[in-house]
Amino acid sequence: MPSRFRTIRRVGTPRRARLAIAALLCAACSGDPSSESPGNLDARLAPGYAAITADDLMAHTRALADDSLEGRAPASAGEDKTVRYLEAQFRAMGLVGGMPDGAFVQHVTLVRAVPHPEASFHIGSRVLPLSHPADYLIRSRREQPLIAVDADLLFVGYGVDAPEYGWDDYKNVDVKGKVLVMLINDPAVADPRDSTKLDSTMFKGSAMTYYGRWTYKYEIAAAKGAAGAIIIHETGPAGYPFSALDNLAREAFDIKSADGGARHSQIEAWLTQPKAEELLQAAGKDFAVLKAAARRKDFVPVPLGAKARVRLQQDLATVQSRNVVALLPGADAARRDEYVVYSAHWDHMGRDTTLAGDQIFNGALDNASGVAQLLALAKGFTALSARPPRSIMFAAVTAEEKGLLGAKYFAANPPVPLTKMLANINMDGNNQWGRTSDVTVIGLGNSTLDDVLADVLRPAGRTRSPDAEPEKGFFYRSDHFEFAKQGVPALFTDAGTQYIGKDAAFGQQQRDEYTTRDYHRPSDEIKPNWDLSGAVEDTRVLLAVGYRVATDATWPTWKPGTEFKAKRDSMLAR
């Protein structure tokens, strides 16, 4: 391992152990043994901190992002190798299987659909052909080998029905059997005081709600009986290019269901903005005008005078995938059946044999690095001289890239009661760019876990930062969201923004470069300039947060006004 990836020295001899632990206690949050007194931190965690190293994080990331795993696609040979690796690592640490029968594996039955679509728009006698996947991406979650749709197109603005916000894009219009065309994200309402700005009083202001996620938009279309829904992709508001969606449609997955997917609409699609503008122009409409109208509460659906014709052939297969679940039983018999659950998704996008050159989506950052943190945390907890009173569960889940499916299955079929899960702490990509004085919290203010994090950070003078781009809805885009939907308080952190020794723009520049160059691309590989010193510090912080939750008398709670609070309160009141 190159020395630049190391943040600490290994303990050389037993007589030096105490001095090394003192240094580690400081380095755990400040990274500088000379700048922090060990007395400011909980000495019980010192062995756990010492066990979390840059060398281990790099080694696990390298192993999981290796070409031999072929991109860790669910239900592939790469999955087999990944699961074997994870189980072997957990076993070597002395953990036990986290399933009720003591197994390390939770089987997840999925349906895989490889689409072969043909689609076009028809405006009167004019035919507007569509090229897949350049112009559109499409999938069906119905378990049918052939999906045929010939339906009127109806523009429904943002496709949101949110009575608590006094917002209804449907206005009682019957949308049954139609294909709905929708804008991305939440309604972007113009501020009445300044039409060039957005009204911060609407919904959650600048922060996206679940109404802005594409998953909600497809759900509401199905609930209202639509034949399908098409979301117009805009790269800026989405936070990722159109090509990043390819994994959802190139090989679509869903959890096997008793109804064969009948509860879903026939088609779920994405359309590029240029092709959407071409469609609207052909229909005598203007994209900018329709978008402006959709920002008003009095918006009503607009028939486009056009039809969508789709013939979607699907190669269907029922496949088995796996969540890997390990457990460190709590030390207190009275509290052993209460759990802190750490999670990270092991899957990525597999291999695309149609590509020239590199065909393997290694997913080094997304999310081999997060699983490396999960394994490092497991090692950290097992290194403690005294286990926490509550149990610690480690869940490496499948099919996040296919729609959070592994976490969804885990939360719907939990190995322990949800009422006994105190918290979920999720990792999806670690910090590979160096040390920061802060930690970003995605969804800051949602739960009291944020306060625990603040307490852990405070002795080293580190702080919490809110998501710099809350309008992009990152809180709804990783596995913790499936825990949150079930009422379990969840913490999802990201790299901070204030990089030590770097200018203020450094962090955002790195993120932008990664999103443009590497996100969901074969180039997401370990880079020579990775500096995992910040990842080590942040992983130790997450160990301390989980330890405190597993030790404190007070359970974490959702804060008032959070959409998940009512479910949690109701669950615990039973």
Side-chain angles (χ1 to χ4, degrees):
M1 189 68 57
S3 60
R4 62 179 175 274
F5 291 120
R6 295 186 179 128
T7 58
I8 61 171
R9 291 184 179 273
R10 295 187 183 276
V11 176
T13 64
R15 66 177 178 272
R16 295 173 58 197
R18 289 185 180 179
L19 291 175
I21 286 172
L24 285 162
L25 283 167
C26 302
C29 287
S30 71
D32 179 0
S34 66
S35 65
E36 173 80 0
S37 167
N40 290 341
L41 295 171
D42 191 340
R44 291 172 294 179
L45 298 181
Y49 291 152
I52 297 171
T53 69
D55 284 352
D56 277 357
L57 288 174
M58 180 60 79
H60 289 311
T61 302
R62 192 177 301 280
L64 292 165
D66 191 81
D67 279 358
S68 65
L69 274 65
E70 296 191 319
R72 305 188 307 280
S76 71
E79 166 167 345
D80 295 339
K81 293 180 181 179
T82 302
V83 169
R84 285 199 300 271
Y85 181 85
L86 295 174
E87 184 171 344
Q89 294 297 318
F90 286 136
R91 285 185 183 276
M93 295 172 196
L95 299 175
V96 298
M99 299 305 295
D101 62 357
F104 282 88
V105 166
Q106 180 183 47
H107 293 279
V108 183
T109 303
L110 302 173
V111 177
R112 178 172 58 198
V114 178
H116 304 284
E118 297 177 1
S120 57
F121 295 134
H122 295 254
I123 310 97
S125 60
R126 179 178 176 183
V127 177
L128 182 62
L130 296 171
S131 175
H132 182 271
D135 297 329
Y136 75 106
L137 294 166
I138 193 166
R139 69 178 187 178
S140 178
R141 291 198 279 174
R142 293 195 178 186
E143 296 172 31
Q144 300 171 211
L146 177 62
I147 304 290
V149 173
D150 187 350
D152 292 335
L153 288 165
L154 181 68
F155 178 72
V156 294
Y158 289 87
V160 170
D161 184 1
E164 70 271 34
Y165 294 119
W167 193 276
D168 178 13
D169 280 328
Y170 294 93
K171 305 295 192 298
N172 294 318
V173 172
D174 184 3
V175 302
K176 289 185 177 64
K178 294 181 172 59
V179 172
L180 310 182
V181 179
M182 304 177 179
L183 296 167
I184 200 168
N185 291 5
D186 280 337
V189 184
D191 190 323
R193 296 161 296 182
D194 183 349
S195 61
T196 66
K197 299 183 182 298
L198 302 183
D199 186 349
S200 62
T201 66
M202 286 300 303
F203 287 36
K204 286 188 176 180
S206 61
M208 185 195 291
T209 69
Y210 184 54
Y211 293 117
R213 285 295 290 150
W214 54 262
T215 47
Y216 165 80
K217 294 174 189 287
Y218 293 143
E219 287 166 4
I220 191 65
K224 291 182 177 293
I230 299 172
I231 296 174
I232 300 172
H233 180 80
E234 297 178 75
T235 295
Y240 48 81
F242 187 73
S243 60
L245 292 163
D246 183 54
N247 78 98
L248 287 166
R250 174 168 51 89
E251 186 180 44
F253 285 78
D254 201 5
I255 296 171
K256 180 77 172 177
S257 62
D259 69 356
R263 67 189 182 281
H264 300 296
S265 297
Q266 291 174 271
I267 58 169
E268 299 176 349
W270 295 263
L271 186 66
T272 64
Q273 182 179 339
K275 188 56 67 170
E277 291 175 347
E278 186 179 350
L279 163 66
L280 294 172
Q281 184 178 30
K285 311 293 183 185
D286 181 86
F287 177 75
V289 171
L290 285 178
K291 187 172 181 179
R295 291 175 172 173
R296 298 171 53 92
K297 277 190 174 183
D298 60 0
F299 167 83
V300 294
V302 179
L304 297 183
K307 287 182 176 289
R309 291 182 181 166
V310 177
R311 182 180 176 86
L312 175 60
Q313 290 184 310
Q314 302 191 102
D315 298 334
L316 298 171
T318 299
V319 299
Q320 294 295 324
S321 192
R322 286 155 287 184
N323 293 329
V324 183
V325 187
L327 183 68
L328 177 69
D332 183 351
R335 292 191 282 175
R336 183 175 297 150
D337 66 343
E338 299 170 353
Y339 303 83
V340 176
V341 182
Y342 287 92
S343 62
H345 73 90
W346 60 255
D347 69 294
H348 199 54
M349 295 165 56
R351 183 173 195 163
D352 184 355
T353 57
T354 67
L355 295 178
D358 190 359
Q359 299 176 338
I360 296 174
F361 292 77
N362 301 83
L365 179 61
D366 182 14
N367 185 35
S369 69
V371 178
Q373 284 185 288
L374 186 74
L375 293 170
L377 284 161
K379 184 177 180 181
F381 272 101
T382 57
L384 298 176
S385 57
R387 287 177 292 157
R390 296 187 175 98
S391 296
I392 310 296
M393 184 171 282
F394 305 93
V397 296
T398 184
E400 188 269 357
E401 302 289 6
K402 305 301 181 182
L404 316 184
L405 299 182
K408 182 177 182 178
Y409 188 88
F410 182 95
N413 303 274
V416 298
L418 292 170
T419 54
K420 296 295 186 179
M421 289 187 191
L422 276 72
N424 168 243
I425 300 172
N426 185 54
M427 293 149 288
D428 199 346
N430 69 25
N431 172 16
Q432 77 277 36
W433 298 308
R435 296 172 53 228
T436 63
S437 62
D438 64 330
V439 172
T440 296
V441 182
I442 307 299
L444 181 62
N446 278 342
S447 83
T448 58
L449 289 168
D450 298 346
D451 304 325
V452 178
L453 175 65
D455 288 342
V456 168
L457 293 171
R458 190 173 296 113
R462 298 186 73 191
T463 59
R464 306 167 305 172
S465 292
D467 179 10
E469 300 174 299
E471 71 281 358
K472 293 176 181 175
F474 291 114
F475 188 83
Y476 309 101
R477 287 167 53 176
S478 193
D479 294 308
H480 64 282
F481 178 52
E482 295 298 337
F483 290 86
K485 284 199 295 185
Q486 298 293 341
V488 179
L491 176 67
F492 181 36
T493 61
D494 197 2
T497 59
Q498 300 163 30
Y499 280 82
I500 296 172
K502 308 288 186 181
D503 63 53
F506 175 79
Q508 192 60 51
Q509 288 171 349
Q510 297 304 308
R511 285 175 174 80
D512 290 346
E513 182 177 331
Y514 170 77
T515 301
T516 302
R517 182 188 63 192
D518 298 327
Y519 179 62
H520 285 187
R521 296 176 185 269
S523 57
D524 184 359
E525 300 188 76
I526 294 171
K527 302 297 193 292
N529 65 343
W530 275 22
D531 174 359
L532 298 186
S533 57
V536 169
E537 292 182 358
D538 292 349
T539 307
R540 291 172 178 166
V541 164
L542 294 181
L543 182 143
V545 170
Y547 184 87
R548 293 198 184 190
V549 174
T551 304
D552 290 352
T554 304
W555 285 33
T557 60
W558 294 108
K559 293 188 175 181
T562 306
E563 58 261 53
F564 316 108
K565 187 177 188 303
K567 179 148 192 172
R568 184 63 166 180
D569 291 348
S570 174
M571 179 191 305
L572 297 181
R574 294 174 193 160

